[in-house]
Amino acid sequence: MELVKLTAEEFDRIAKIIYDRAGIYLPEQKINLLSNRLRKRLRALKLATFGEYEAILKDANRCEEELPHFLSAVTTNETYFFRNEDLWNFFSGDLIRYLVETKKGKPKTLHIRSAASSSGEEAYTAAIALREKLPDFASWKISIIGTDISKRVLDQAREGVYNDYAVHKMSKAQIKRWFVCKDDKFHLTDQIKSMVRFQHHNLRDPFPGGRFDLTFLRNVLMYFDTPMKKLVIKAVTDSMVPGGVLIVGDVDPIRTTPELNEAMPCAYQRAGVYLKPGGGTAKLNLERAVTA
Ligand SMILES: C[S@@+](CC[C@H](N)C(=O)[O-])C[C@H]1O[C@@H](n2cnc3c(N)ncnc32)[C@H](O)[C@@H]1O
């Protein structure tokens, strides 16, 4: 049976819907990728052509129901626990020390956000690293939130059940400590699950009430064009406290784009690490910061 493919015109129209809804920019070369991903939605909805699928996306009533599936189909959700060893070494040492210092003489609270959390590995890694390394852990009040545009990955995150790829960077001892292994799957213990919650959110929108001491924004900016990146930088940094830390991904497009550098209100520290001005006297040691 011949595989149904997007025409160039269909691609343009559907790519525009993706851009308008999620800010994700798909160049023409992605036509085969998009065809492959959306073919699964055609099958699920028992549709014969992309034209029929487009009609659903353009129908205000039917679109609301399809949109979460559509966005889930077109986003890239690659992630795993302890992704980027350098980052997590930095987190477990100098970054925790800095966060502790910022709270001297204040309530011992930490608000952490994994923006574009995908299926939760980054947010849960932060929870695990804090349990392992934060001095006097029990005396802290910690809230960690993961946000993403894809409802499918958020459901997976809330379930907290992972395959062996997700945990491939963890030691056996860590896996044993923080997961229960059942039916070849790794189930996070409630100790870790209960530290994190997940919320649907589009990165370009403000995050009302957000006062984050630490925000991860890794491996997502590269999907956006410059105007969208600017919107995201503003929305994300607005929701950080003065002195808050922003961690961006292995590939940091901000550094290499003058327009984004100008739009970034946080001060570059070194690869992957930014600090929002206006904090107290705490000093962030960067000896072992993230390497790009
Ligand atoms: C590659 S994953 C990154 C996961 C994790 N931060 C990491 O670095 O391992 C990118 C995530 O960004 C999400 N995403 C894409 N566009 C988004 C948007 N406009 N708002 C919120 N999340 C978005 C996708 O759904 C996907 O889960």
Side-chain angles (χ1 to χ4, degrees), residues 120-153:
E121 287 86 330
E122 182 174 78
Y124 286 132
T125 300
I128 290 174
L130 286 170
R131 278 218 172 247
E132 289 179 347
K133 303 288 181 187
L134 180 65
D136 203 7
F137 174 84
S139 65
W140 286 83
K141 202 163 165 258
I142 294 167
S143 88
I144 304 176
I145 184 163
T147 63
D148 202 283
I149 201 169
S150 161
K151 292 189 175 168
R152 177 180 57 83
V153 292

Side-chain angles (χ1 to χ4, degrees), residues 8-262:
E9 293 74 27
E10 284 168 340
F11 173 82
D12 285 348
R13 290 192 298 266
I14 293 184
K16 179 164 183 331
I17 300 174
I18 296 170
Y19 182 75
D20 290 345
R21 290 294 187 150
I24 297 171
Y25 169 68
L26 290 182
E28 280 158 40
Q29 304 89 287
K30 299 277 180 178
I31 189 164
N32 285 337
L33 178 98
L34 191 61
S35 292
N36 292 339
R37 291 193 171 182
L38 289 185
R39 218 174 278 125
K40 291 185 189 130
R41 290 309 303 154
L42 256 55
R43 271 199 299 275
L45 296 166
K46 300 194 170 45
L47 303 177
T49 65
F50 283 112
E52 291 169 62
Y53 188 66
E54 219 187 311
I56 294 182
L57 295 178
K58 289 192 171 144
D59 176 324
N61 294 323
R62 289 192 298 167
C63 178
E64 279 321 300
E65 202 180 310
E66 177 54 19
L67 202 61
H69 301 288
F70 173 61
L71 292 177
S72 292
V74 298
T75 50
T76 299
N77 309 115
E78 158 82 0
T79 184
Y80 46 88
F81 285 85
F82 290 91
R83 180 179 195 175
N84 188 335
E85 200 179 338
D86 279 335
L87 164 67
W88 291 105
N89 286 339
F90 168 63
F91 180 99
S92 297
D94 292 331
L95 184 49
I96 287 184
R97 267 192 290 282
Y98 169 77
L99 293 172
V100 169
E101 212 183 314
T102 61
K103 301 292 166 162
K104 268 200 184 130
K106 297 183 189 160
K108 289 168 87 174
T109 58
L110 281 180
H111 297 286
I112 297 175
R113 175 180 182 197
S114 163
S117 64
S118 188
S119 35
E121 287 86 330
E122 182 174 78
Y124 286 132
T125 300
I128 290 174
L130 286 170
R131 278 218 172 247
E132 289 179 347
K133 303 288 181 187
L134 180 65
D136 203 7
F137 174 84
S139 65
W140 286 83
K141 202 163 165 258
I142 294 167
S143 88
I144 304 176
I145 184 163
T147 63
D148 202 283
I149 201 169
S150 161
K151 292 189 175 168
R152 177 180 57 83
V153 292
L154 290 171
D155 284 344
Q156 286 173 8
R158 290 185 190 106
E159 225 185 310
V161 178
Y162 295 94
N163 59 20
D164 43 10
Y165 176 71
V167 299
H168 75 282
K169 289 282 179 196
M170 297 177 78
S171 69
K172 283 204 175 101
Q174 270 182 318
I175 295 175
K176 205 164 160 217
R177 185 164 175 204
W178 303 117
F179 293 88
V180 174
C181 188
K182 228 174 17 187
D183 306 326
D184 284 338
K185 295 271 182 208
F186 300 89
H187 300 241
L188 265 176
T189 58
D190 283 341
Q191 249 183 334
I192 298 299
K193 260 175 90 173
S194 62
M195 288 174 66
V196 185
R197 67 196 168 88
F198 292 93
Q199 187 177 318
H200 182 245
H201 179 259
N202 189 332
L203 281 172
R204 72 174 163 211
D205 296 333
F207 196 84
R211 301 268 304 152
F212 297 103
D213 301 295
L214 171 63
T215 301
F216 293 91
L217 180 67
R218 297 196 302 152
N219 303 309
V220 66
L221 281 176
M222 68 263 212
Y223 300 119
F224 305 143
D225 66 358
T226 301
M228 174 69 178
K229 285 188 183 101
K230 283 167 81 173
L231 282 178
V232 172
I233 288 170
K234 166 139 182 51
V236 166
T237 54
D238 277 354
S239 69
M240 291 165 53
V241 294
V245 179
L246 176 68
I247 304 281
V248 299
D250 308 354
V251 182
D252 172 6
I254 302 165
R255 286 295 290 164
T256 48
T257 318
E259 210 180 325
L260 295 180
N261 258 313
E262 243 168 70

